Amino acid sequence: MQIKFGTDGWRGVIARDFTFDNLSLVAQATMDYLNRDGSGNKGLVIGYDRRFLSRDFARRVAEVAAGNGIRVRLTDGYAPTPAVSWAVRESGAGAGIMITASHNPPEYNGFKVKEAFGGSARPATTKVLEEIVAFNVANDRRVVATPFEEALGKGMIEIFDPCEGYFRQIGRYVDLELIARAGIPVVVDPMYGAGSGFLPRLLAGVHEIHNSENPSFGGQPPEPIGEHLAELSALLKGGTYRVGLALDGDADRIGAVDENGDFFSSHCIFTVILRHLIEHKHLRGGVVKTVSTTRMVDLLARKYELPLFETPIGFKHICELMLAEDILMGGEESGGLGVKGHIPERDGILLGLLLLEAMAASGKGLRRLLDETMDEIGHFSYRRIDRRIGGDAKEQLIARLKSAPPAEIDGRRVAATNFSDGFKFIFENGDWLLIRPSGTEPVLRLYSEAGTPGQVDRLLRAGEVLAAR
């Protein structure tokens, strides 16, 4: 089969695409790449999540690394992706591998590559990995591996706890004592994923739900979006807790529920934390957002006179800017957020703690913090809908929007467009509609932000009509 890396790693359905044989091919190509550029001499960090067979898949990658002369530090159990990424950077390793399919449905698993800087492999890197896999297959390149116990005995594989260094970094970045003194009643939903148990270890008194080992993730994808957080929301509405935090399957994405029991989206989280970093932690730097992310970030950047960058969707684009520029914070609609002074990587655990720090420093709940910001910069509503679309219809839609984009939508003049990733139509007052066909699925995604929920709904309906023509 052809191995293709997506927005963050190679993923596939277990036993159909993501098999031990295919994994071995990808692992061998990765070791060839690391040995070719000299990074293999610096060693490799390997971690894994709680998905079906993740531990066994991770051990197989370790065997291939050892067979190719690369020393491995393998996590002593499941671990969050950001903890593995931090271990890569802190230890000076040549790279890291995380066995996870992140927020994908339970039947998937995946292979994420982390570069030496502690962030996801850049597009140029994954392109080379794809080429090496294809070359190796075409030329019958043999997979070289050392049996696990033999490699362990020879010292080629070392078992380690990735949390020791990661927790030290968290303690340097966030004022855990301030949060503890505030006594905020917190409930966390790690969605049965690799973040289970980590926030309670950092903060005494934190309560968790859905923290048992359950590779089916309770029958839904471990993605912290509103429709998946009904139980968390109910707990907040019950009045026992003041904030709910949610992590995705490998804990690099964050979602939240506010003091009213309402879903607090990544747009809201981005806005609250950005202001907290500036006003309470007195940090400065540029701001990066993807094309589908809230305009509130633009307005805060303008208010504080910070450089603003916009990228296509995918944290890998944000990562590249964080490496090239002085970036304070970067984020995307899917809940992936990263901050200055850490790693150029999404980190749901750190971002959850920063939300708690913002609450502790201000004495206010999340919704109140957001409302106070909106009272200054304007009130916004946001929604995304996904619709199935056939391959031919998708191609026809793309061709039509490229060749003849509408000058008016829902009776409103289009003031500007942005076609860097999908088709974004911006209106005179700043409201916008984004029509984005998925590159990997028969899905059309429609996003909109406007002043009221009703205006958002009108623009989304207009987008559906436009797509159906």
Side-chain angles (χ1 to χ4, degrees):
M1 66 170 290
Q2 185 180 20
I3 301 295
K4 299 292 290 183
F5 282 74
T7 54
D8 191 5
W10 163 59
R11 302 179 195 181
V13 175
I14 300 168
R16 189 184 72 189
D17 309 307
F18 203 91
T19 64
F20 281 99
D21 285 345
N22 286 337
L23 176 66
S24 297
L25 292 174
V26 177
Q28 182 61 61
T30 304
M31 306 317 150
D32 289 344
Y33 172 80
L34 295 177
N35 281 333
R36 179 189 299 174
D37 77 353
S39 299
N41 294 330
K42 299 178 181 179
L44 179 69
V45 175
I46 301 176
Y48 56 94
D49 67 5
R50 298 177 96 179
R51 287 175 181 268
F52 181 61
L53 289 177
S54 281
R55 176 176 176 270
D56 299 289
F57 288 137
R59 285 185 165 217
R60 179 55 181 167
V61 176
E63 290 178 339
V64 176
N68 284 268
I70 297 175
R71 293 185 179 277
V72 172
R73 300 181 75 217
L74 175 67
T75 60
D76 58 0
Y78 67 84
T81 288
V84 173
S85 295
W86 177 258
V88 172
R89 176 166 169 175
E90 184 180 49
S91 67
I97 303 295
M98 181 70 188
I99 300 298
T100 180
S102 189
H103 63 288
N104 281 41
E107 62 269 24
Y108 283 79
N109 215 321
F111 180 97
K112 289 185 177 182
V113 178
K114 303 299 173 184
E115 295 199 52
F117 49 76
S120 294
R122 293 164 290 186
T125 301
T126 56
K127 181 176 184 293
V128 173
L129 290 175
E130 291 172 352
E131 291 170 351
I132 296 174
V133 172
F135 177 87
N136 286 354
V137 170
N139 290 275
D140 294 323
R141 167 76 158 98
R142 184 171 66 92
V143 173
V144 184
T146 300
F148 187 82
E149 294 300 332
E150 180 183 337
L152 198 63
K154 290 179 176 178
M156 292 299 294
I157 297 175
E158 171 196 350
I159 307 298
F160 83 111
D161 178 4
C163 298
E164 292 180 4
Y166 178 64
F167 283 175
R168 285 195 299 270
Q169 165 65 0
I170 292 291
R172 288 190 292 264
Y173 205 102
V174 178
D175 191 339
L176 296 173
E177 290 185 5
L178 172 67
I179 298 171
R181 288 196 303 270
I184 302 167
V186 183
V187 57
V188 176
D189 184 356
M191 307 191 82
Y192 303 104
S196 298
F198 283 82
L199 282 164
R201 286 173 63 183
L202 287 159
L203 282 176
V206 170
H207 177 64
E208 275 190 339
I209 61 173
H210 304 149
N211 59 359
S212 60
E213 187 162 358
N214 183 344
S216 72
F217 301 109
Q220 66 182 15
E223 183 179 11
I225 57 178
E227 62 200 74
H228 295 161
L229 301 178
E231 187 174 338
L232 191 65
S233 177
L235 287 171
L236 268 294
K237 288 178 179 177
T240 303
Y241 302 100
R242 195 162 170 234
V243 62
L245 303 176
L247 303 168
D248 75 336
D250 65 335
D252 66 353
R253 300 188 188 202
I254 180 72
V257 174
D258 68 16
E259 60 268 34
N260 302 319
D262 296 326
F263 178 60
F264 205 72
S265 73
S266 60
H267 307 281
C268 305
I269 294 170
F270 197 161
T271 301
V272 166
I273 291 180
L274 178 59
R275 190 159 196 178
H276 173 66
L277 293 175
I278 298 166
E279 294 197 350
H280 291 279
K281 297 182 85 69
H282 308 295
L283 298 173
R284 302 282 295 179
V287 182
V288 190
K289 52 169 275 191
T290 58
V291 69
S292 62
T293 303
T294 177
R295 198 163 69 93
M296 291 189 288
V297 171
D298 306 47
L299 296 172
L300 281 181
R302 184 186 305 166
K303 171 183 170 67
Y304 294 107
E305 298 181 339
L306 302 178
L308 177 70
F309 303 87
E310 186 171 271
T311 73
I313 292 170
F315 202 85
K316 60 187 178 183
H317 302 293
I318 296 172
C319 173
E320 289 195 304
L321 271 171
M322 293 181 85
L323 292 171
E325 304 283 346
D326 177 23
I327 300 299
L328 172 58
M329 187 172 182
E332 56 183 351
E333 175 256 347
S334 63
L337 301 160
V339 291
K340 181 179 183 175
H342 186 43
I343 44 179
E345 174 76 290
R346 296 170 292 203
D347 191 336
I349 293 171
L350 175 60
L351 272 293
L353 288 167
L354 283 171
L355 281 179
L356 298 181
E357 187 182 60
M359 293 175 64
S362 65
K364 300 169 184 176
L366 294 184
R367 186 59 57 177
R368 185 176 169 192
L369 286 170
L370 180 67
D371 285 345
E372 287 180 354
T373 297
M374 284 189 174
D375 286 343
E376 290 185 29
I377 65 174
H379 286 252
F380 296 87
S381 293
Y382 179 101
R383 194 157 73 89
R384 183 188 105 186
I385 58 175
D386 293 353
R387 296 288 183 262
R388 301 286 293 181
I389 186 170
D392 290 343
K394 183 164 67 172
E395 294 305 317
Q396 291 169 10
L397 174 63
I398 292 171
R400 177 161 51 84
L401 291 178
K402 280 183 177 178
S403 62
E408 185 178 280
I409 297 175
D410 191 38
R412 301 172 62 180
R413 188 178 74 84
V414 174
T417 59
N418 180 344
F419 293 173
S420 63
D421 190 356
F423 302 88
K424 187 173 185 178
F425 302 96
I426 305 162
F427 303 95
E428 289 179 334
N429 68 345
D431 294 353
W432 55 267
L433 170 70
L434 172 62
I435 300 174
R436 182 175 177 266
S438 170
T440 58
E441 303 173 83
V443 170
L444 182 68
R445 306 192 195 284
L446 296 101
Y447 314 72
S448 179
E449 183 176 57
T452 68
Q455 291 169 326
V456 168
D457 290 342
R458 282 183 61 110
L459 284 173
L460 289 174
R461 284 196 298 271
E464 290 183 288
V465 171
L466 181 62
R469 286 178 185 166

